[in-house]
Amino acid sequence: MERMISGIKPTGKVTLGNYLGAIKQFIKYQDDYELLVFIADLHALTLPINRDELEENTENLAAIYIASGLDPKKVKLFKQSDIYGHTELSWLLTCNTVLGEFTKMPQYKNYVENHKNEGVPTGMLLYPSLMSADILLYDVDYVPVGEDQQSHIDLCRDMAEKFNKKYPNTLKLPKSILAKTGAKIMSLSNPTKKMSKSESDKGTIYILDDIEISKKKIMKAVTDSEDKVYYDPINKPGISNLLTIYSCLSGEDIKVIEDRYKDVINYGVFKKDLCSLLEKELLPIQEKVSHLKESGRLDYILYEGKNYANIYSQSKLNKIYKEVGLRSKNWDK
Ligand code: ATP
Ligand code: MG
């Protein structure tokens, strides 16, 4: 079975973007791939975060993964910080990469551009190296990502190639898989910007928020004045984003949805139906999350995942250390 890995940072409350662009995709993949899913808690430290918030976000994220349908019998779910190999390999990769590779990353450039008069946290520059280590430590074949992460996967492949030039056949080059629909859910208040957990509240739907709050956000979502429901992300980014969300939730093709609403003369009807779909999707998840958190099952699931990831990554790191010269080739013979 081919292997796949992905993670989400516990930086804030899990959003509908994370759910549709990442979590729901993982659930589709769990039957066909050996799937490793981790909570990227070390990545969450890239920008300052309060300790209690980090702990709470981590627990909620683990619960949302399972409540959404990840089956812990099939998927290995673990916390990144439980596995020391991630930071160790990250250092080896960093030392083998020139600074310009990091400074050219779009997310780094955006950050610098938007924080001109502030210091830039070094983690902001170097986290693509940690992300590459997350992937390369497990010899994965595929990484499912949203559009925002594509440049980091390209960098990961470049890093692995460069590393292999120096230490032949050490690292396996991964490929990215982009979701067809839902790869980029936009903010409801500014549909030209990505919905993301570390930014504006108004345009973001959070999975565990009271559903009435989320419904209000949909009803108030920025659209246009044409009052016609069809997909045109350039001229109608708001409605196109809502159509994408609708399609991800209902599993229907966007064309089918356009056809359903072709005679509708205001967006209210379409938005109300979208609210019902969202409610139907999120309420059962919210209920399962509360049960899981009370049951203590999450600790056990994370413990099992940690054991698996530890064994695999330790053996991989051993091989790498031997190639690099940090360990004798006869070390464990
Ligand atoms: P942050 O603002 O802290 O970066 P984020 O919401 O972008 O938070 P990440 O932890 O960076 O979340 O990403 C987790 C996963 O969710 C990744 O696979 C990413 O591609 C996906 N993802 C994030 N935002 C969206 C979105 N708006 N639409 C689709 N997928 C998304
Ligand atoms: Mg992000």
Side-chain angles (χ1 to χ4, degrees):
M1 223 183 209
E2 287 179 304
R3 180 177 294 206
M4 192 181 255
I5 194 163
S6 195
I8 298 183
K9 291 176 287 183
T11 36
K13 299 192 287 180
V14 178
T15 72
L16 189 64
N18 302 140
Y19 176 71
L20 298 178
I23 299 175
K24 228 171 142 67
Q25 307 297 325
F26 301 165
I27 291 158
K28 274 200 248 158
Y29 293 131
Q30 66 182 347
D31 292 320
D32 302 325
Y33 295 90
E34 183 187 349
L35 185 61
L36 302 167
V37 176
F38 64 98
I39 297 168
D41 52 356
L42 294 172
H43 283 288
L45 300 175
T46 306
L47 295 175
I49 183 164
N50 169 286
R51 69 140 338 270
D52 293 340
E53 213 181 307
L54 177 59
E55 210 178 322
E56 190 188 346
N57 292 345
T58 301
E59 189 192 18
N60 280 338
L61 181 54
I64 290 172
Y65 274 135
I66 304 296
S68 306
L70 274 195
D71 179 351
K73 288 198 193 79
K74 295 180 190 155
V75 177
K76 312 286 186 290
L77 179 66
F78 60 95
K79 265 171 40 170
Q80 184 189 26
S81 62
D82 275 342
I83 313 296
Y84 301 129
H86 291 240
T87 39
E88 295 179 26
L89 179 56
S90 164
W91 178 245
L92 301 189
L93 294 170
T94 301
C95 292
N96 207 47
T97 306
V98 295
L99 190 58
E101 296 287 339
F102 293 116
T103 52
K104 75 176 187 197
M105 286 295 106
Q107 296 199 353
Y108 173 76
K109 288 208 285 200
N110 278 347
Y111 187 90
V112 175
E113 184 65 28
N114 294 329
H115 299 81
K116 279 205 168 117
N117 300 319
E118 299 162 36
V120 178
T122 315
M124 233 12 243
L125 179 73
L126 294 181
Y127 82 85
S129 175
L130 181 58
M131 181 170 162
S132 299
D134 300 335
I135 297 165
L136 299 169
L137 196 53
Y138 298 97
D139 297 313
V140 302
D141 300 282
Y142 295 104
V143 188
V145 288
E147 266 171 34
D148 61 326
Q149 294 297 331
Q150 185 58 49
S151 54
H152 293 142
I153 302 301
D154 295 339
L155 176 62
C156 171
R157 287 175 61 88
D158 290 348
M159 280 181 159
E161 261 184 332
K162 204 166 161 219
F163 202 87
N164 284 343
K165 273 204 182 118
K166 201 163 174 193
Y167 312 109
N169 302 321
T170 311
L171 301 174
K172 179 167 184 165
L173 268 65
K175 294 191 187 78
S176 55
I177 295 186
L178 203 65
K180 281 193 198 78
T181 313
K184 197 168 182 187
I185 303 295
M186 310 308 273
S187 157
L188 299 183
S189 55
N190 179 359
T192 54
K193 252 186 65 195
K194 186 179 93 87
M195 182 184 285
S196 104
K197 54 180 141 55
S198 58
E199 280 175 58
S200 126
D201 233 24
K202 269 194 313 182
T204 306
I205 302 241
Y206 299 105
I207 301 301
L208 297 185
D209 263 6
D210 182 334
I211 194 70
E212 294 309 319
I213 297 178
S214 302
K215 281 160 68 177
K216 271 191 200 127
K217 285 180 181 172
I218 289 191
M219 294 312 289
K220 283 193 183 147
V222 168
T223 50
D224 53 74
S225 54
E226 195 190 356
D227 275 326
K228 285 206 172 106
V229 179
Y230 63 93
Y231 190 77
D232 177 354
I234 306 288
N235 299 308
K236 293 167 73 73
I239 279 297
S240 301
N241 188 38
L242 295 182
L243 271 167
T244 301
I245 296 173
Y246 193 122
S247 161
C248 290
L249 291 173
S250 72
E252 296 164 307
D253 214 68
I254 286 182
K255 287 256 167 309
V256 175
I257 307 164
E258 281 176 343
D259 205 45
R260 179 172 308 141
Y261 293 97
K262 68 179 184 312
D263 299 324
V264 159
I265 45 153
N266 73 65
Y267 292 142
V269 179
F270 169 65
K271 283 179 163 177
K272 262 202 182 131
D273 289 351
L274 181 55
C275 287
S276 308
L277 274 178
L278 187 76
E279 182 163 7
K280 224 172 91 200
E281 183 95 4
L282 295 190
L283 282 187
I285 294 178
Q286 294 181 352
E287 217 170 282
K288 282 186 204 150
V289 164
S290 325
H291 286 149
L292 272 164
K293 283 167 70 172
E294 282 162 19
S295 73
R297 245 185 92 213
L298 286 175
D299 287 344
Y300 180 70
I301 292 170
L302 291 172
Y303 177 75
E304 294 259 279
K306 169 184 165 177
N307 282 343
Y308 176 88
N310 241 334
I311 290 170
Y312 195 93
S313 62
Q314 276 310 315
S315 140
K316 178 75 190 173
L317 204 60
N318 245 332
K319 285 185 197 140
I320 301 172
Y321 273 20
K322 284 181 186 177
E323 290 305 318
V324 172
L326 290 167
R327 223 155 256 175
S328 152
K329 291 226 170 177
N330 303 317
W331 187 73
D332 50 2
K333 284 202 180 119

